[in-house]
Amino acid sequence: MSRDLRVIGNAFKVITDLERIGDYAVDIAKTARRLAAEPYLIPLNDLDRMAKATEWMVRECIHAYVEHDLDLVNQVVARDDEVDDCYDRLFTDLLDRMERDRSLIRQGTWILGIARFLERIADHAVNVAERVYYVETGELKQLHQDRPR
């Protein structure tokens, strides 16, 4: 019975995380539309890696939820480090580029916004994974420790 209550209670929390993920996805789409008409002046390698890792995390945290898969939970949590590393590199690189070339500030700021949205989406995917862990084990704990920036 306690597991059933955890399932019900956590469903509401998972819904909230998924809704927030959707909100960030809309923000990314709006920003991409703003940038679509201009050539990219900044390399987007880390942003692409972030997007792919984040997409994987969202897909797999949902699979973990549906399948009650603790192995996937651990994989999702571990993948967040990759997203965080990409974000840190991208942030540092763009800040350096914008300081050296002021013409990059507008585009760089929009790209940093997208990177931040992706980083937050990944954090919400970790939240879902942590909720799966709680439902399956009965143990409420933070599986991923945020690093200071």
Side-chain angles (χ1 to χ4, degrees), residues 3-98:
R3 184 180 188 285
D4 291 341
L5 290 173
R6 288 194 306 269
V7 168
I8 292 166
N10 274 308
F12 291 112
K13 294 180 182 221
V14 167
I15 288 167
T16 302
D17 281 310
L18 294 177
E19 180 182 10
R20 198 68 195 116
I21 287 170
D23 292 342
Y24 285 126
V26 168
D27 293 338
I28 290 169
K30 287 178 180 177
T31 304
R33 286 183 70 186
R34 286 184 184 111
L35 292 171
E38 57 189 78
Y40 294 117
L41 306 171
I42 299 166
L44 301 177
N45 299 340
D46 281 320
L47 190 67
D48 185 51
R49 272 193 290 280
M50 277 184 80
K52 287 177 181 168
T54 301
E55 177 188 359
W56 182 91
M57 289 174 70
V58 171
R59 185 179 53 252
E60 297 308 318
C61 80
I62 293 169
H63 285 148
Y65 180 80
V66 170
E67 301 296 328
H68 313 284
D69 188 331
L70 292 177
D71 288 333
L72 268 181
V73 165
N74 292 326
Q75 291 175 44
V76 168
V77 170
R79 194 89 189 253
D80 191 48
D81 287 335
E82 178 184 347
V83 173
D84 290 343
D85 289 343
C86 286
Y87 179 79
D88 291 342
R89 278 192 310 273
L90 184 66
F91 184 88
T92 302
D93 180 53
L94 284 179
L95 192 61
D96 182 55
R97 288 173 184 272
M98 289 186 292

